[in-house]
Amino acid sequence: AQKVTQAQTEISVVEKEDVTLDCVYETRDTTYYLFWYKQPPSGELVFLIRRNSFDEQNEISGRYSWNFQKSTSSFNFTITASQVVDSAVYFCALSDNAGNMLTFGGGTRLMVKP
Amino acid sequence: EAEVAQSPRYKITEKSQAVAFWCDPISGHATLYWYRQILGQGPELLVQFQDESVVDDSQLPKDRFSAERLKGVDSTLKIQPAELGDSAMYLCASGEGFSYEQYFGPGTRLTVT
């Protein structure tokens, strides 16, 4: 069975601080896919990144960066120089080998204060 | 930019009544998903379609929930009869295929009284 754990339920930072959101996953598959989604107050889930299990290179996109470590089953997300607009709930998700089942973590609510 | 459309955005219904939600995926997306998101939790998959066929409905409470995607395009999720515990956000998503990223609609927030 697949499982995604986001231990941080809520994080509060002041604008311009860096913040890392943790994600730990469990799966028996050797091939799988990891995702991060953002859910702003409006409610619509916004896709941020997709990573397959064979690609352990870290990725940077603007102020966002992702650290995938297969050895520790973690896929952490860092926002550099946070902004108020980054305030949202962030979900880490895992899909199986065939991509059939997307399992979400419980989410981390990030609050960025001015 | 293409988007997933859902209607209605909000629905209030009394328990034991029937309720239906509609989803129009991004054009050309073969896979369509219905999720239920209870407040404060992550989305949980209810049913997954590949074109008009159900791929996975293992988490769908089939005694009261039904879903269809007759022509492989838009989809309807129905609850009959609604129960108080069905109050949640119902999200529809579509994708180009399995393992690809899913694009979500704005959701339908259901309140059962």
Coordinates of all heavy atoms in Angstrom, one line a residue, chain B residues 20 31 63 66 87 90 93 100:
Chain B
A20 N -26.1 15.7 -8.0 CA -25.2 15.3 -9.2 C -24.2 16.5 -9.4 O -24.6 17.6 -9.3 CB -26.1 15.1 -10.4
T31 N -7.8 10.6 -19.6 CA -8.0 10.2 -18.2 C -8.8 11.3 -17.4 O -8.5 12.4 -17.5 CB -6.8 9.8 -17.4 OG1 -5.9 11.0 -17.4 CG2 -6.1 8.7 -18.1
D63 N -22.9 1.8 -3.1 CA -24.3 1.7 -2.7 C -25.1 3.0 -2.9 O -26.3 3.1 -3.1 CB -24.5 1.2 -1.2 CG -23.7 2.2 -0.3 OD1 -22.7 2.8 -0.7 OD2 -24.1 2.2 0.9
S66 N -22.5 6.9 -7.9 CA -22.3 6.4 -9.3 C -21.6 7.4 -10.1 O -21.7 8.6 -9.8 CB -23.6 6.0 -9.9 OG -24.5 7.1 -10.1
S87 N -20.7 15.6 3.1 CA -20.3 17.0 3.0 C -18.8 17.1 2.8 O -18.0 16.6 3.6 CB -20.7 17.7 4.3 OG -22.1 17.8 4.4
Y90 N -15.8 18.1 -3.8 CA -15.7 17.1 -4.9 C -14.9 17.7 -6.0 O -15.3 18.6 -6.7 CB -17.0 16.5 -5.3 CG -17.6 15.7 -4.2 CD1 -18.3 16.3 -3.1 CD2 -17.5 14.3 -4.1 CE1 -18.8 15.6 -2.1 CE2 -18.0 13.6 -3.1 CZ -18.6 14.2 -2.0 OH -19.1 13.5 -1.0
A93 N -10.5 16.0 -12.0 CA -9.2 16.2 -12.6 C -9.1 15.5 -13.9 O -9.7 14.5 -14.1 CB -8.0 15.8 -11.7
Y100 N 0.9 10.9 -15.8 CA 1.1 12.3 -16.1 C 0.4 13.1 -15.0 O -0.4 12.7 -14.3 CB 0.5 12.6 -17.5 CG 1.3 12.1 -18.6 CD1 1.2 10.8 -19.1 CD2 2.2 13.0 -19.3 CE1 2.0 10.4 -20.1 CE2 3.0 12.6 -20.3 CZ 2.9 11.3 -20.8 OH 3.6 10.8 -21.8

